[in-house]
Amino acid sequence: MTGPGPTSQRPQESAPTPPSSPAVQRANRMSAANMIRSLAPLVLICLLIVAWVSFRQSAVEPVRGIDPTSTVQLAAARASYPLVVPTALPDGYQPTSARTDAGQAEAGDPVTLEIGYLTPAEEFAGFVVSDDARVDAVTGVLGGAEEEGTVDLDGETWTRGTTQRGETALWREADGVTVLVTGSAVDDELETVAGAVEPYTG
């Protein structure tokens, strides 16, 4: 008997791949590489902001205090009037600048002394004493200032006013000498500086 002969078999055809669903397509797009590319601009913006803030902070120099003693001594030695200065100010009032024109003054010449203070509230309070009514340190403040009455500070009567810059000014005049306190500080701090003004004793 003869067995059945060999039969030919066709190779099985692979089933067609079904089309990807929209969900699969979205998942493919959200690959790690795509996420990195998407986040890169945001990271760059954050780095630029951090660099800008760091630059601003480094550019702002801290306020440095100074010792006005030598400047005050020079003004006292050359002035033809009894010099007065703020004395024994409370903690938190830091001298940051001092200048005088006494270095060029000859006998009888006017002498002006200016001292700037950083107040506890980190504002500015400026003190001026001068026997020159035309000096910029005086006219620049009192020129156009609007008087608003007087205030008694430590037994002295001061005129209170508002400058053209909108800042409070306290001043008094006697024997041709003007004593002035003004600045961006609040009234209480300016009054503290004015109330501390006393004759300089060296």
Side-chain angles (χ1 to χ4, degrees), residues 38-88:
S38 300
L39 290 174
L42 180 61
V43 172
L44 180 60
I45 292 173
C46 292
L47 291 175
L48 290 174
I49 292 174
V50 171
W52 181 76
V53 171
S54 299
F55 172 78
R56 287 287 303 273
Q57 290 178 344
S58 62
V60 178
E61 296 183 359
V63 177
R64 296 181 180 180
I66 58 103
D67 183 357
T69 302
S70 60
T71 305
V72 174
Q73 288 176 341
L74 176 59
R78 301 287 179 87
S80 58
Y81 59 91
L83 193 73
V84 294
V85 292
T87 304

Side-chain angles (χ1 to χ4, degrees), residues 3-27:
T7 59
S8 61
Q9 295 181 349
R10 293 181 179 179
Q12 294 183 352
E13 296 180 358
S14 58
T17 304
S20 300
S21 66
V24 173
Q25 293 176 357
R26 286 195 300 269

